[in-house]
Amino acid sequence: MRLIFLGPPGAGKGTQAARLSKHLHLMHVSTGDILRRAIAYETPIGMEAKAYMHKGELVPDEITDLLVRECLVRDGASKGFILDGYPRNLEQAKQLDESLDSVGVGLTKVIDFAIDPNIVVSRLSGRRTCPKCQTPYHGVSRPPLRDGFCDLDGSELEHRIDDKEETILRRLEVYQEQTEPLTSFYEERGLLTRVDAVGDADTVFDRLLKAVGK
Ligand code: AP5
């Protein structure tokens, strides 16, 4: 199964991708997580991406196209994957087509997580993230077992720098301007399936399993 997860910031793409990749043994490729790791390790890519991410802007396509192409080639796209946060504009979608052609596979489905922007703002302002494994928590909907620390590796949870309200609003604008047009792009190809992202994570996961036919 080769999937793209679309949806605004805070729709729950990362949460559901982590669950589905475990359930179906798929590779989970999150460009946001890869970039945050690059920033943490102060790599040249991380240093270039940092300013864009902190402002809620997209990082340049050349960076994300290269990161995704490397993952697909290195880790074997034919075994199945979830692309979470990529592509984010039409140029990236075209680059993805080329990358997939080069490894000889196509997409199975594109899942669009549908949610009201007002819900997204409260989800993101309450999010705390593990800096090591990137697992997202939330004070109300997904509290960690020990307050302030990751259940999986014990790291101290952080408030993502782009989860400040003004940056969240900018990320939503960027999503509407640049990423939302991809829903028509994939709908025209008969690949798009919408999943209602409102409700608790278990309910959304059940809908997702139905949407992917599992
Ligand atoms: P990225 O990391 O991809 O962020 P995003 O798309 O803005 O998505 P989020 O991680 O904010 O939300 P999510 O939908 O994954 O929700 P989550 O599951 O965490 O990108 C960050 C930045 O990197 C971009 O702004 C850009 O600068 C750069 N970037 C990345 N990819 C790029 C690309 N391809 N091109 C250019 N630039 C790129 O959940 C959110 C919160 O809600 C959590 O607290 C969670 O616990 C909670 N939650 C989840 N599900 C539920 C539920 N059902 N009910 C209640 N709460 C829930």
Side-chain angles (χ1 to χ4, degrees):
M1 194 161 293
R2 294 173 295 276
L3 304 169
I4 290 176
F5 281 8
L6 288 181
K13 303 178 298 295
T15 301
Q16 298 299 331
R19 293 178 73 150
L20 192 68
S21 60
K22 204 167 161 197
H23 193 76
L24 298 179
H25 308 290
L26 301 172
M27 167 168 67
H28 175 191
V29 180
S30 159
T31 40
D33 288 352
I34 297 171
L35 291 167
R36 278 183 288 280
R37 243 175 258 130
I39 293 175
Y41 286 108
E42 299 184 348
T43 68
I45 282 182
M47 292 303 93
E48 190 176 348
K50 192 174 178 176
Y52 295 96
M53 290 176 77
H54 287 192
K55 283 188 283 184
E57 304 293 337
L58 296 186
V59 306
D61 293 344
E62 309 84 77
I63 294 181
T64 50
D65 292 339
L66 185 69
L67 292 175
V68 171
R69 188 185 281 261
E70 273 178 6
C71 285
L72 295 179
V73 171
R74 187 189 59 219
D75 297 326
S78 57
K79 293 184 207 145
F81 56 77
I82 302 172
L83 294 180
D84 161 14
Y86 181 93
R88 258 175 147 99
N89 58 32
L90 282 168
E91 286 312 309
Q92 291 184 13
K94 288 175 191 160
Q95 274 301 316
L96 174 63
D97 283 343
E98 285 186 20
S99 298
L100 291 175
D101 281 349
S102 73
V103 289
V105 297
L107 291 167
T108 313
K109 260 182 201 298
V110 177
I111 304 293
D112 179 31
F113 290 91
I115 191 161
D116 184 311
N118 294 320
I119 301 179
V120 157
V121 177
S122 84
R123 279 189 186 180
L124 291 180
S125 38
R127 171 165 61 183
R128 296 293 178 274
T129 307
C130 173
K132 196 167 170 195
C133 69
Q134 304 292 328
T135 300
Y137 296 86
H138 189 279
V140 178
S141 63
R142 195 190 171 192
L145 297 172
R146 185 171 153 232
D147 193 26
F149 296 89
C150 179
D151 295 349
L152 305 179
D153 56 40
S155 303
E156 191 166 0
L157 301 179
E158 290 179 349
H159 195 198
R160 256 170 60 176
I161 198 108
D162 58 349
D163 279 347
K164 284 186 292 198
E165 190 161 337
E166 71 266 25
T167 318
I168 295 171
L169 296 176
R170 179 61 195 146
R171 286 160 62 202
L172 280 167
E173 277 173 6
V174 169
Y175 177 79
Q176 275 154 7
E177 288 161 12
Q178 302 197 44
T179 312
E180 215 165 49
L182 290 181
T183 55
S184 326
F185 178 80
Y186 287 118
E187 198 157 32
E188 280 160 21
R189 294 181 171 191
L191 287 169
L192 194 81
T193 302
R194 286 208 167 77
V195 168
D196 178 2
V198 183
D200 63 41
D202 290 341
T203 306
V204 178
F205 189 60
D206 287 342
R207 292 180 195 138
L208 175 60
L209 286 178
K210 283 199 193 91
V212 298
K214 296 288 171 186

mmCIF file with all atom_site columns, all heavy atoms in Angstrom, residues 190-207:
data_model
loop_
_atom_site.group_PDB
_atom_site.id
_atom_site.type_symbol
_atom_site.label_atom_id
_atom_site.label_alt_id
_atom_site.label_comp_id
_atom_site.label_asym_id
_atom_site.label_entity_id
_atom_site.label_seq_id
_atom_site.pdbx_PDB_ins_code
_atom_site.Cartn_x
_atom_site.Cartn_y
_atom_site.Cartn_z
_atom_site.occupancy
_atom_site.B_iso_or_equiv
_atom_site.pdbx_formal_charge
_atom_site.auth_seq_id
_atom_site.auth_comp_id
_atom_site.auth_asym_id
_atom_site.auth_atom_id
_atom_site.pdbx_PDB_model_num
ATOM 1   N N   . GLY A 1 190 ? -8.733  10.032 -9.534 1.00 0.00 ? 190 GLY A N   1
ATOM 2   C CA  . GLY A 1 190 ? -9.489  8.943  -8.881 1.00 0.00 ? 190 GLY A CA  1
ATOM 3   C C   . GLY A 1 190 ? -8.774  8.342  -7.680 1.00 0.00 ? 190 GLY A C   1
ATOM 4   O O   . GLY A 1 190 ? -9.046  7.214  -7.279 1.00 0.00 ? 190 GLY A O   1
ATOM 5   N N   . LEU A 1 191 ? -7.844  9.128  -7.072 1.00 0.00 ? 191 LEU A N   1
ATOM 6   C CA  . LEU A 1 191 ? -7.063  8.561  -5.966 1.00 0.00 ? 191 LEU A CA  1
ATOM 7   C C   . LEU A 1 191 ? -7.511  9.059  -4.591 1.00 0.00 ? 191 LEU A C   1
ATOM 8   O O   . LEU A 1 191 ? -7.115  8.503  -3.565 1.00 0.00 ? 191 LEU A O   1
ATOM 9   C CB  . LEU A 1 191 ? -5.576  8.938  -6.137 1.00 0.00 ? 191 LEU A CB  1
ATOM 10  C CG  . LEU A 1 191 ? -4.806  8.215  -7.239 1.00 0.00 ? 191 LEU A CG  1
ATOM 11  C CD1 . LEU A 1 191 ? -3.442  8.879  -7.457 1.00 0.00 ? 191 LEU A CD1 1
ATOM 12  C CD2 . LEU A 1 191 ? -4.619  6.748  -6.859 1.00 0.00 ? 191 LEU A CD2 1
ATOM 13  N N   . LEU A 1 192 ? -8.333  10.117 -4.566 1.00 0.00 ? 192 LEU A N   1
ATOM 14  C CA  . LEU A 1 192 ? -8.605  10.791 -3.286 1.00 0.00 ? 192 LEU A CA  1
ATOM 15  C C   . LEU A 1 192 ? -9.752  10.141 -2.504 1.00 0.00 ? 192 LEU A C   1
ATOM 16  O O   . LEU A 1 192 ? -10.804 9.857  -3.061 1.00 0.00 ? 192 LEU A O   1
ATOM 17  C CB  . LEU A 1 192 ? -8.963  12.252 -3.540 1.00 0.00 ? 192 LEU A CB  1
ATOM 18  C CG  . LEU A 1 192 ? -8.930  13.124 -2.283 1.00 0.00 ? 192 LEU A CG  1
ATOM 19  C CD1 . LEU A 1 192 ? -7.497  13.548 -1.967 1.00 0.00 ? 192 LEU A CD1 1
ATOM 20  C CD2 . LEU A 1 192 ? -9.817  14.351 -2.431 1.00 0.00 ? 192 LEU A CD2 1
ATOM 21  N N   . THR A 1 193 ? -9.533  9.936  -1.193 1.00 0.00 ? 193 THR A N   1
ATOM 22  C CA  . THR A 1 193 ? -10.599 9.490  -0.292 1.00 0.00 ? 193 THR A CA  1
ATOM 23  C C   . THR A 1 193 ? -10.584 10.411 0.919  1.00 0.00 ? 193 THR A C   1
ATOM 24  O O   . THR A 1 193 ? -9.515  10.632 1.508  1.00 0.00 ? 193 THR A O   1
ATOM 25  C CB  . THR A 1 193 ? -10.347 8.036  0.186  1.00 0.00 ? 193 THR A CB  1
ATOM 26  O OG1 . THR A 1 193 ? -10.269 7.205  -0.955 1.00 0.00 ? 193 THR A OG1 1
ATOM 27  C CG2 . THR A 1 193 ? -11.467 7.542  1.090  1.00 0.00 ? 193 THR A CG2 1
ATOM 28  N N   . ARG A 1 194 ? -11.752 10.962 1.292  1.00 0.00 ? 194 ARG A N   1
ATOM 29  C CA  . ARG A 1 194 ? -11.805 11.853 2.454  1.00 0.00 ? 194 ARG A CA  1
ATOM 30  C C   . ARG A 1 194 ? -12.109 11.046 3.714  1.00 0.00 ? 194 ARG A C   1
ATOM 31  O O   . ARG A 1 194 ? -12.939 10.135 3.684  1.00 0.00 ? 194 ARG A O   1
ATOM 32  C CB  . ARG A 1 194 ? -12.894 12.911 2.275  1.00 0.00 ? 194 ARG A CB  1
ATOM 33  C CG  . ARG A 1 194 ? -12.490 13.945 1.278  1.00 0.00 ? 194 ARG A CG  1
ATOM 34  C CD  . ARG A 1 194 ? -13.116 15.320 1.480  1.00 0.00 ? 194 ARG A CD  1
ATOM 35  N NE  . ARG A 1 194 ? -12.391 16.256 0.627  1.00 0.00 ? 194 ARG A NE  1
ATOM 36  C CZ  . ARG A 1 194 ? -12.570 16.343 -0.705 1.00 0.00 ? 194 ARG A CZ  1
ATOM 37  N NH1 . ARG A 1 194 ? -13.441 15.579 -1.319 1.00 0.00 ? 194 ARG A NH1 1
ATOM 38  N NH2 . ARG A 1 194 ? -11.856 17.202 -1.412 1.00 0.00 ? 194 ARG A NH2 1
ATOM 39  N N   . VAL A 1 195 ? -11.431 11.425 4.803  1.00 0.00 ? 195 VAL A N   1
ATOM 40  C CA  . VAL A 1 195 ? -11.698 10.814 6.103  1.00 0.00 ? 195 VAL A CA  1
ATOM 41  C C   . VAL A 1 195 ? -12.029 11.940 7.072  1.00 0.00 ? 195 VAL A C   1
ATOM 42  O O   . VAL A 1 195 ? -11.267 12.916 7.174  1.00 0.00 ? 195 VAL A O   1
ATOM 43  C CB  . VAL A 1 195 ? -10.459 10.007 6.594  1.00 0.00 ? 195 VAL A CB  1
ATOM 44  C CG1 . VAL A 1 195 ? -10.600 9.617  8.056  1.00 0.00 ? 195 VAL A CG1 1
ATOM 45  C CG2 . VAL A 1 195 ? -10.259 8.762  5.744  1.00 0.00 ? 195 VAL A CG2 1
ATOM 46  N N   . ASP A 1 196 ? -13.161 11.815 7.749  1.00 0.00 ? 196 ASP A N   1
ATOM 47  C CA  . ASP A 1 196 ? -13.548 12.810 8.748  1.00 0.00 ? 196 ASP A CA  1
ATOM 48  C C   . ASP A 1 196 ? -12.561 12.705 9.921  1.00 0.00 ? 196 ASP A C   1
ATOM 49  O O   . ASP A 1 196 ? -12.465 11.653 10.560 1.00 0.00 ? 196 ASP A O   1
ATOM 50  C CB  . ASP A 1 196 ? -14.991 12.486 9.186  1.00 0.00 ? 196 ASP A CB  1
ATOM 51  C CG  . ASP A 1 196 ? -15.496 13.422 10.262 1.00 0.00 ? 196 ASP A CG  1
ATOM 52  O OD1 . ASP A 1 196 ? -14.763 14.349 10.642 1.00 0.00 ? 196 ASP A OD1 1
ATOM 53  O OD2 . ASP A 1 196 ? -16.637 13.205 10.724 1.00 0.00 ? 196 ASP A OD2 1
ATOM 54  N N   . ALA A 1 197 ? -11.818 13.794 10.182 1.00 0.00 ? 197 ALA A N   1
ATOM 55  C CA  . ALA A 1 197 ? -10.768 13.762 11.206 1.00 0.00 ? 197 ALA A CA  1
ATOM 56  C C   . ALA A 1 197 ? -11.251 14.289 12.552 1.00 0.00 ? 197 ALA A C   1
ATOM 57  O O   . ALA A 1 197 ? -10.451 14.499 13.461 1.00 0.00 ? 197 ALA A O   1
ATOM 58  C CB  . ALA A 1 197 ? -9.556  14.562 10.728 1.00 0.00 ? 197 ALA A CB  1
ATOM 59  N N   . VAL A 1 198 ? -12.562 14.519 12.680 1.00 0.00 ? 198 VAL A N   1
ATOM 60  C CA  . VAL A 1 198 ? -13.109 14.997 13.954 1.00 0.00 ? 198 VAL A CA  1
ATOM 61  C C   . VAL A 1 198 ? -13.579 13.790 14.748 1.00 0.00 ? 198 VAL A C   1
ATOM 62  O O   . VAL A 1 198 ? -14.243 12.911 14.204 1.00 0.00 ? 198 VAL A O   1
ATOM 63  C CB  . VAL A 1 198 ? -14.298 15.962 13.722 1.00 0.00 ? 198 VAL A CB  1
ATOM 64  C CG1 . VAL A 1 198 ? -14.808 16.510 15.043 1.00 0.00 ? 198 VAL A CG1 1
ATOM 65  C CG2 . VAL A 1 198 ? -13.878 17.087 12.803 1.00 0.00 ? 198 VAL A CG2 1
ATOM 66  N N   . GLY A 1 199 ? -13.218 13.776 16.037 1.00 0.00 ? 199 GLY A N   1
ATOM 67  C CA  . GLY A 1 199 ? -13.542 12.615 16.873 1.00 0.00 ? 199 GLY A CA  1
ATOM 68  C C   . GLY A 1 199 ? -12.257 12.147 17.502 1.00 0.00 ? 199 GLY A C   1
ATOM 69  O O   . GLY A 1 199 ? -11.177 12.653 17.160 1.00 0.00 ? 199 GLY A O   1
ATOM 70  N N   . ASP A 1 200 ? -12.349 11.174 18.439 1.00 0.00 ? 200 ASP A N   1
ATOM 71  C CA  . ASP A 1 200 ? -11.097 10.763 19.091 1.00 0.00 ? 200 ASP A CA  1
ATOM 72  C C   . ASP A 1 200 ? -10.241 9.942  18.126 1.00 0.00 ? 200 ASP A C   1
ATOM 73  O O   . ASP A 1 200 ? -10.701 9.512  17.067 1.00 0.00 ? 200 ASP A O   1
ATOM 74  C CB  . ASP A 1 200 ? -11.382 10.038 20.421 1.00 0.00 ? 200 ASP A CB  1
ATOM 75  C CG  . ASP A 1 200 ? -12.159 8.763  20.231 1.00 0.00 ? 200 ASP A CG  1
ATOM 76  O OD1 . ASP A 1 200 ? -11.854 8.030  19.276 1.00 0.00 ? 200 ASP A OD1 1
ATOM 77  O OD2 . ASP A 1 200 ? -13.092 8.506  21.011 1.00 0.00 ? 200 ASP A OD2 1
ATOM 78  N N   . ALA A 1 201 ? -8.971  9.758  18.522 1.00 0.00 ? 201 ALA A N   1
ATOM 79  C CA  . ALA A 1 201 ? -8.007  9.133  17.604 1.00 0.00 ? 201 ALA A CA  1
ATOM 80  C C   . ALA A 1 201 ? -8.421  7.700  17.241 1.00 0.00 ? 201 ALA A C   1
ATOM 81  O O   . ALA A 1 201 ? -8.180  7.265  16.100 1.00 0.00 ? 201 ALA A O   1
ATOM 82  C CB  . ALA A 1 201 ? -6.621  9.160  18.235 1.00 0.00 ? 201 ALA A CB  1
ATOM 83  N N   . ASP A 1 202 ? -9.069  6.966  18.162 1.00 0.00 ? 202 ASP A N   1
ATOM 84  C CA  . ASP A 1 202 ? -9.500  5.589  17.845 1.00 0.00 ? 202 ASP A CA  1
ATOM 85  C C   . ASP A 1 202 ? -10.595 5.603  16.771 1.00 0.00 ? 202 ASP A C   1
ATOM 86  O O   . ASP A 1 202 ? -10.594 4.782  15.856 1.00 0.00 ? 202 ASP A O   1
ATOM 87  C CB  . ASP A 1 202 ? -10.061 4.883  19.095 1.00 0.00 ? 202 ASP A CB  1
ATOM 88  C CG  . ASP A 1 202 ? -8.958  4.570  20.099 1.00 0.00 ? 202 ASP A CG  1
ATOM 89  O OD1 . ASP A 1 202 ? -7.779  4.565  19.690 1.00 0.00 ? 202 ASP A OD1 1
ATOM 90  O OD2 . ASP A 1 202 ? -9.280  4.338  21.281 1.00 0.00 ? 202 ASP A OD2 1
ATOM 91  N N   . THR A 1 203 ? -11.533 6.545  16.925 1.00 0.00 ? 203 THR A N   1
ATOM 92  C CA  . THR A 1 203 ? -12.638 6.640  15.954 1.00 0.00 ? 203 THR A CA  1
ATOM 93  C C   . THR A 1 203 ? -12.086 6.983  14.575 1.00 0.00 ? 203 THR A C   1
ATOM 94  O O   . THR A 1 203 ? -12.482 6.392  13.565 1.00 0.00 ? 203 THR A O   1
ATOM 95  C CB  . THR A 1 203 ? -13.634 7.742  16.409 1.00 0.00 ? 203 THR A CB  1
ATOM 96  O OG1 . THR A 1 203 ? -14.015 7.453  17.745 1.00 0.00 ? 203 THR A OG1 1
ATOM 97  C CG2 . THR A 1 203 ? -14.840 7.838  15.509 1.00 0.00 ? 203 THR A CG2 1
ATOM 98  N N   . VAL A 1 204 ? -11.161 7.948  14.541 1.00 0.00 ? 204 VAL A N   1
ATOM 99  C CA  . VAL A 1 204 ? -10.576 8.347  13.250 1.00 0.00 ? 204 VAL A CA  1
ATOM 100 C C   . VAL A 1 204 ? -9.809  7.164  12.651 1.00 0.00 ? 204 VAL A C   1
ATOM 101 O O   . VAL A 1 204 ? -9.875  6.902  11.444 1.00 0.00 ? 204 VAL A O   1
ATOM 102 C CB  . VAL A 1 204 ? -9.675  9.593  13.409 1.00 0.00 ? 204 VAL A CB  1
ATOM 103 C CG1 . VAL A 1 204 ? -9.019  9.974  12.084 1.00 0.00 ? 204 VAL A CG1 1
ATOM 104 C CG2 . VAL A 1 204 ? -10.475 10.775 13.957 1.00 0.00 ? 204 VAL A CG2 1
ATOM 105 N N   . PHE A 1 205 ? -9.126  6.403  13.503 1.00 0.00 ? 205 PHE A N   1
ATOM 106 C CA  . PHE A 1 205 ? -8.355  5.253  13.004 1.00 0.00 ? 205 PHE A CA  1
ATOM 107 C C   . PHE A 1 205 ? -9.287  4.210  12.379 1.00 0.00 ? 205 PHE A C   1
ATOM 108 O O   . PHE A 1 205 ? -8.978  3.645  11.326 1.00 0.00 ? 205 PHE A O   1
ATOM 109 C CB  . PHE A 1 205 ? -7.516  4.637  14.126 1.00 0.00 ? 205 PHE A CB  1
ATOM 110 C CG  . PHE A 1 205 ? -6.545  3.597  13.637 1.00 0.00 ? 205 PHE A CG  1
ATOM 111 C CD1 . PHE A 1 205 ? -5.559  3.917  12.715 1.00 0.00 ? 205 PHE A CD1 1
ATOM 112 C CD2 . PHE A 1 205 ? -6.626  2.274  14.080 1.00 0.00 ? 205 PHE A CD2 1
ATOM 113 C CE1 . PHE A 1 205 ? -4.661  2.957  12.244 1.00 0.00 ? 205 PHE A CE1 1
ATOM 114 C CE2 . PHE A 1 205 ? -5.734  1.309  13.610 1.00 0.00 ? 205 PHE A CE2 1
ATOM 115 C CZ  . PHE A 1 205 ? -4.752  1.650  12.699 1.00 0.00 ? 205 PHE A CZ  1
ATOM 116 N N   . ASP A 1 206 ? -10.442 3.967  13.009 1.00 0.00 ? 206 ASP A N   1
ATOM 117 C CA  . ASP A 1 206 ? -11.415 3.014  12.428 1.00 0.00 ? 206 ASP A CA  1
ATOM 118 C C   . ASP A 1 206 ? -11.866 3.483  11.048 1.00 0.00 ? 206 ASP A C   1
ATOM 119 O O   . ASP A 1 206 ? -11.965 2.692  10.109 1.00 0.00 ? 206 ASP A O   1
ATOM 120 C CB  . ASP A 1 206 ? -12.657 2.876  13.339 1.00 0.00 ? 206 ASP A CB  1
ATOM 121 C CG  . ASP A 1 206 ? -12.327 2.079  14.593 1.00 0.00 ? 206 ASP A CG  1
ATOM 122 O OD1 . ASP A 1 206 ? -11.290 1.379  14.586 1.00 0.00 ? 206 ASP A OD1 1
ATOM 123 O OD2 . ASP A 1 206 ? -13.085 2.176  15.573 1.00 0.00 ? 206 ASP A OD2 1
ATOM 124 N N   . ARG A 1 207 ? -12.122 4.807  10.939 1.00 0.00 ? 207 ARG A N   1
ATOM 125 C CA  . ARG A 1 207 ? -12.540 5.349  9.622  1.00 0.00 ? 207 ARG A CA  1
ATOM 126 C C   . ARG A 1 207 ? -11.412 5.169  8.600  1.00 0.00 ? 207 ARG A C   1
ATOM 127 O O   . ARG A 1 207 ? -11.662 4.857  7.437  1.00 0.00 ? 207 ARG A O   1
ATOM 128 C CB  . ARG A 1 207 ? -12.857 6.849  9.738  1.00 0.00 ? 207 ARG A CB  1
ATOM 129 C CG  . ARG A 1 207 ? -14.096 7.135  10.561 1.00 0.00 ? 207 ARG A CG  1
ATOM 130 C CD  . ARG A 1 207 ? -14.304 8.660  10.616 1.00 0.00 ? 207 ARG A CD  1
ATOM 131 N NE  . ARG A 1 207 ? -15.245 8.999  11.645 1.00 0.00 ? 207 ARG A NE  1
ATOM 132 C CZ  . ARG A 1 207 ? -15.125 10.026 12.496 1.00 0.00 ? 207 ARG A CZ  1
ATOM 133 N NH1 . ARG A 1 207 ? -14.091 10.843 12.408 1.00 0.00 ? 207 ARG A NH1 1
ATOM 134 N NH2 . ARG A 1 207 ? -16.032 10.255 13.409 1.00 0.00 ? 207 ARG A NH2 1
#
